[in-house]
């Protein structure tokens, strides 16, 4: 778990001052400038966790000091010398400033740092040093190599991912804003699908909650209880949503061709609301029992779920098609706040051919590439096909049973790296294209 410290009135530690204030500030500024404008890559000891021991000693026989990356945000008065005081305090702790962003707030400014600190300096010690230099409302957590990407480069990458795939918008917002909960509320049915009241076109920002008008007419709500949003973050998030709205519905159209044990070929590709009629036709060919096991409710209402399930706004869907073009299987990866659900439906005539397992494996791979730590499936104990497919992932599973409903959770952070590599090689050997967007790092 990240070493997180939050303190408004910490005191600086004793016994670590070096030189006068001017020399310490100069050293910190020069170090930060060199990192921002130099061409050498950062050293290899900047991971979020404790770095490995140095491979060897330096020229003088001494072992290089270990260090840790931190992300820190603190509020200072908007006046000359406030930032200099912070840099001086950090220099006194032998802390290297790798990057700096400022978020103006009128009479105050939120300064966001990426820091390299000695490994023996704790988050509490850093917070105390900053508090002694005038920083308030300080928040700090461990960082990793993904945070070394500067803000403009990160924004361009997120914009490119969003442009290629509408389902990337929630993931891009989370990558932009850090650990947060994102929920989409559909537009009110009727009367032209009205937007819920109280959300203007430009959106709203209220401390730790921002609300943005979704392209299809609903509302996207983003919550980050542990850290208030700044107007700069709000503007960046709104820009991503506006880009998504201008581009309209879109999903990648690559497909995989799979050969079943009996020799017939099927294709797997992304699906969206344009596949609604074909999905309804598959529903008509499914038995009531198959629909009941999938939707856990009256089978007469199942068609009304499809528009939501196929919308890229709420996740990703894979469709299995036969050579004739019929959809015979659907796999859903659904963004559920800060969690991720997987669901499968395979037409009766095509069950027990390994289709469900192949769909689930691809959904889990997409979830891992999106930075999800785990996925869960809601089913019933009598649904032996879904239970077997989850077991076939060969991942640590957690089972919870409540009133006949079985929830199976798979932990993706325990996915063996070797197995993931073998799957990648197998896909490349068969000329298959990966579904989903670019790989992203999890900021947590």
């Amino acid at each position: 778990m990240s070493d997180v410290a939050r303190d408004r009135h910490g005191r600086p530690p004793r016994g670590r001052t070096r030189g006068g204030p001017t020399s310490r500030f100069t050293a910190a500024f020069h170090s930060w400038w060199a990192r921002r404008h130099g061409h050498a890559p950062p050293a290899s000891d900047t991971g979020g966790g404790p770095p490995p021991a140095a491979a060897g000693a330096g020229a003088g026989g001494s072992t290089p000091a270990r260090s840790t990356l931190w992300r820190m945000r603190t509020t200072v008065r908007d006046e000359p010398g406030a930032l200099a005081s912070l840099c001086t305090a950090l220099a006194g702790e032998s802390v290297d400033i790798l990057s700096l962003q400022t978020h103006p707030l009128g009479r105050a400014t939120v300064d966001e740092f990426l820091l390299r600190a000695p490994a023996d300096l704790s988050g509490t010690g850093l917070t105390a040093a900053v508090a002694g230099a005038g920083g308030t409302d300080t928040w700090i957590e461990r960082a990793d190599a993904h945070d070394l990407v500067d803000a403009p480069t990160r924004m361009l990458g997120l914009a490119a991912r969003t442009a290629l795939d509408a389902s990337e918008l929630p993931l891009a917002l989370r990558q932009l804003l850090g650990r947060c909960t994102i929920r989409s509320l559909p537009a009110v049915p009727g009367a032209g699908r009205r937007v819920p009241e109280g959300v203007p076109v430009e959106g709203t920002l209220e401390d730790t909650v921002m609300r943005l008008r979704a392209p299809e007419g609903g509302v996207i709500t983003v919550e980050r209880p542990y850290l208030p949003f700044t107007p700069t973050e709000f503007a960046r998030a709104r820009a991503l949503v506006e880009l998504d709205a201008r581009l309209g519905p879109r999903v990648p159209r690559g497909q995989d061709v799979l050969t079943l044990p009996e020799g017939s070929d099927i294709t797997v590709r992304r699906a969206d609301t344009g596949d609604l009629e074909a999905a309804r036709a598959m529903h008509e060919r499914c038995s009531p029992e198959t629909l009941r096991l999938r939707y856990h409710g009256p089978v007469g209402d199942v068609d009304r779920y499809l528009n939501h399930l196929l919308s890229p706004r709420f996740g990703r869907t894979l469709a299995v098609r036969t050579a004739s073009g019929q959809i015979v299987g659907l796999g859903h990866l659904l963004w559920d706040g800060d969690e991720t659900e997987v669901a499968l439906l395979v037409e009766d005539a095509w069950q027990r051919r390994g289709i469900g397992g192949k769909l689930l494996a691809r959904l889990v791979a997409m979830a891992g590439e999106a930075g999800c730590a785990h996925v869960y499936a809601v089913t019933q104990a009598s649904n032996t096909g879904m239970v077997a497919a989850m077991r076939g992932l060969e991942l640590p599973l957690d089972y919870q049973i409540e009133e006949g409903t079985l929830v199976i959770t798979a932990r993706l952070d325990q996915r063996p790296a070797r197995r993931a590599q073998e799957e990648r090689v197998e896909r490349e050997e068969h000329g298959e294209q990966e579904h989903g967007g670019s790989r992203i790092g999890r900021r947590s």
Side-chain angles (χ1 to χ4, degrees):
M1 181 171 293
S2 299
D3 184 357
V4 178
R6 181 179 177 88
D7 187 7
R8 292 173 179 264
H9 306 290
R11 298 179 181 273
R14 302 177 182 175
R16 297 197 62 157
T17 58
R18 301 177 183 177
T22 302
S23 62
R24 293 197 300 271
F25 168 68
T26 302
F29 179 79
H30 285 172
S31 178
W32 172 74
W33 184 265
R35 293 295 181 188
R36 290 283 291 179
H37 299 275
H39 298 285
S44 60
D45 59 347
T46 58
S62 60
T63 302
R66 299 197 308 171
S67 60
T68 302
L69 278 182
W70 296 93
R71 287 193 297 121
M72 184 184 72
R73 182 176 289 196
T74 191
T75 303
V76 298
R77 298 183 305 276
D78 188 11
E79 61 183 35
L83 178 58
S85 297
L86 281 181
C87 292
T88 300
L90 293 173
E93 298 294 332
S94 300
V95 175
D96 188 8
I97 301 174
L98 302 181
S99 69
L100 167 64
Q101 295 184 63
T102 60
H103 304 258
L105 298 177
R107 295 184 178 181
T109 298
V110 174
D111 289 331
E112 186 172 356
F113 296 90
L114 178 63
L115 306 172
R116 189 202 307 276
D120 59 352
L121 180 61
S122 67
T124 303
L126 266 173
T127 304
V130 169
T136 61
D137 296 336
T138 299
W139 169 86
I140 186 170
E141 73 168 0
R142 290 285 184 93
D144 60 27
H146 297 97
D147 295 296
L148 293 170
V149 179
D150 60 89
T153 302
R154 181 181 296 117
M155 280 301 300
L156 287 172
L158 296 178
R161 285 176 41 211
T162 304
L164 293 173
D165 186 351
S167 72
E168 288 284 325
L169 179 61
L171 303 176
L173 289 173
R174 185 170 295 160
Q175 178 83 359
L176 172 66
L177 303 171
R179 295 192 309 275
C180 57
T181 299
I182 301 174
R183 292 185 172 86
S184 295
L185 180 65
V188 179
R193 294 184 64 81
R194 300 190 312 272
V195 175
E197 297 181 0
V199 182
V201 174
E202 64 273 15
T204 62
L205 173 60
E206 300 173 0
D207 198 32
T208 61
V209 179
M210 66 171 72
R211 294 180 175 85
L212 303 163
R213 293 278 289 270
E216 71 280 359
V219 173
I220 299 173
T221 301
V222 187
E223 299 181 58
R224 190 175 65 186
Y226 68 93
L227 185 64
F229 295 113
T230 66
T232 301
E233 290 178 312
F234 179 62
R236 292 170 178 171
R238 190 170 61 183
L240 276 179
V241 174
E242 290 176 354
L243 172 66
D244 182 79
R246 286 180 178 273
L247 294 174
R250 64 213 175 277
V251 295
R253 288 302 179 186
Q255 66 180 25
D256 299 341
V257 178
L258 304 179
T259 301
L260 297 179
E262 69 271 18
S264 58
D265 289 339
I266 57 174
T267 60
V268 181
R269 68 168 179 82
R270 289 281 299 277
D272 60 9
T273 51
D275 300 291
L276 187 58
E277 292 305 318
R280 285 174 176 166
M282 185 190 71
H283 272 179
E284 294 176 359
R285 297 191 300 270
C286 289
S287 67
E289 178 64 10
T290 292
L291 295 177
R292 184 186 66 81
L293 289 175
R294 165 62 185 91
Y295 294 106
H296 322 293
V299 297
D301 297 334
V302 296
D303 282 355
R304 66 188 180 92
Y305 301 129
L306 282 175
N307 196 64
H308 175 91
L309 292 172
L310 293 173
S311 171
R313 180 68 56 237
F314 305 105
R316 298 173 180 169
T317 296
L318 296 179
V320 178
R321 290 181 179 266
T322 64
S324 64
Q326 284 187 334
I327 291 182
V328 296
L330 289 172
H332 303 286
L333 186 68
L334 303 170
W335 316 134
D336 180 16
D338 53 358
E339 298 186 346
T340 306
E341 180 183 359
V342 290
L344 299 175
L345 176 64
V346 178
E347 186 179 325
D348 295 64
W350 291 84
Q351 292 177 8
R352 297 176 179 84
R353 301 189 189 185
I355 293 177
K358 293 181 181 298
L359 270 179
L360 184 61
R362 279 163 170 73
L363 293 173
V364 168
M366 290 162 60
E369 291 166 3
C372 302
H374 58 269
V375 298
Y376 71 91
V378 180
T379 184
Q380 300 176 32
S382 58
N383 191 349
T384 56
M386 187 64 184
V387 174
M390 291 293 287
R391 287 178 176 171
L393 295 173
E394 298 182 4
L395 293 170
L397 300 178
D398 175 68
Y399 299 87
Q400 294 183 353
I401 300 179
E402 296 181 4
E403 300 179 357
T405 299
L406 175 62
V407 180
I408 309 175
T409 302
R411 292 166 47 194
L412 307 190
D413 53 354
Q414 299 297 315
R415 191 167 184 241
R418 181 178 177 182
R419 181 166 176 261
Q421 178 65 21
E422 290 174 351
E423 291 176 359
R424 186 183 309 279
V425 171
E426 181 181 353
R427 288 198 297 269
E428 293 174 353
E429 289 176 348
H430 288 80
E432 298 175 359
Q433 299 180 9
E434 292 188 2
H435 296 281
S438 305
R439 288 171 181 77
I440 63 174
R442 180 179 174 87
R443 292 184 61 189
S444 61

